[in-house]
């Protein structure tokens, strides 16, 4: 009896479970955003909860790192939840949602696949809003001491004698 190989790829069950997981990235309430697994939560003050959840997802899509937990992305964007820039952020997020609607989605968060969200972001990457968020994430995300070990960065070296005595020539990655 001949045995036929199953085609490679996702099964229907896997596709549905992943789509469901992608659709429940955040629990959004009135002025409150949380991860469904309760790993983090943030109470917004000047942005509505959905706008803040959109910012967190946008941050993860601009600088995607599977090993960095969501709470570090939350810490990177919480500075945008202030009275001075909230109107500009809200307007930028409205433009982002409009771009998503132009691609056939209800909003940016409704685009369940990362590839679709990145496509939406590419269409906006020249905008001042996108550049503001991207630029703020460089320091907001990568200046967190909690993420440094993920990248193998041990921090500044001056207070510990400099890099000469701390392995400047360790090239075990080569």
């Amino acid at each position: 009896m001949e045995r036929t190989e199953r085609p490679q790829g996702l099964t229907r069950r896997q596709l549905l479970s992943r789509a469901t997981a992608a659709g429940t990235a955040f629990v959004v309430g009135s002025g409150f955003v949380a991860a469904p697994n309760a790993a983090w939560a943030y109470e917004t003050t000047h942005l509505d909860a959905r706008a803040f959840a959109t910012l967190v997802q946008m941050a993860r899509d601009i600088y995607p790192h599977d090993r960095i937990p969501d709470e570090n992305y939350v810490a990177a964007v919480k500075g945008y939840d202030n009275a001075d820039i909230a109107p500009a952020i809200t307007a930028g997020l409205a433009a982002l949602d409009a771009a998503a609607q132009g691609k056939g989605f209800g909003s940016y968060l409704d685009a369940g696949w990362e590839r679709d969200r990145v496509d939406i972001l590419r269409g906006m990457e020249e905008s001042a809003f996108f550049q503001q968020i991207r630029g703020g994430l460089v320091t907001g995300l990568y200046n967190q001491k909690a993420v440094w070990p993920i990248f193998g960065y041990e921090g500044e070296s001056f207070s510990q004698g400099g890099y000469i005595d701390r392995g400047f020539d360790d090239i075990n990655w080569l």
Side-chain angles (χ1 to χ4, degrees), residues 114-172:
E114 180 181 5
R115 174 182 21 164
D116 294 329
R117 291 189 308 270
V118 169
D119 186 43
I120 294 165
L121 289 174
R122 282 200 176 114
M124 294 190 66
E125 66 186 337
E126 299 298 322
S127 71
F129 168 70
F130 179 88
Q131 293 300 323
Q132 177 184 14
I133 301 299
R134 184 197 56 79
L137 284 172
V138 170
T139 55
L141 182 61
Y142 298 114
N143 276 357
Q144 296 180 48
K145 288 185 180 183
V147 302
W148 293 351
I150 295 170
F151 300 111
Y153 179 60
E154 298 174 1
E156 62 84 24
S157 182
F158 178 76
S159 66
Q160 298 172 15
Y163 287 110
I164 297 292
D165 298 327
R166 290 191 61 229
F168 81 98
D169 59 350
D170 288 349
I171 54 172
N172 56 3

Side-chain angles (χ1 to χ4, degrees), residues 41-114:
Y42 181 76
E43 190 170 344
T44 60
T45 55
H46 300 287
L47 293 173
D48 67 50
R50 185 157 177 87
F52 192 79
T54 303
L55 269 179
V56 173
Q57 185 62 59
M58 184 181 177
R60 185 166 274 294
D61 291 336
I62 292 173
Y63 292 109
H65 299 287
D66 293 337
R67 293 174 43 208
I68 294 180
D70 281 338
E71 57 259 21
N72 295 111
Y73 286 97
V74 170
V77 298
K78 70 180 179 182
Y80 296 115
D81 185 26
N82 74 51
D84 295 336
I85 60 172
I89 297 300
T90 302
L93 291 172
L96 182 65
D97 283 340
Q101 291 166 357
K103 300 272 187 186
F105 301 102
S107 69
Y108 181 76
L109 282 179
D110 292 337
W113 296 98
E114 180 181 5

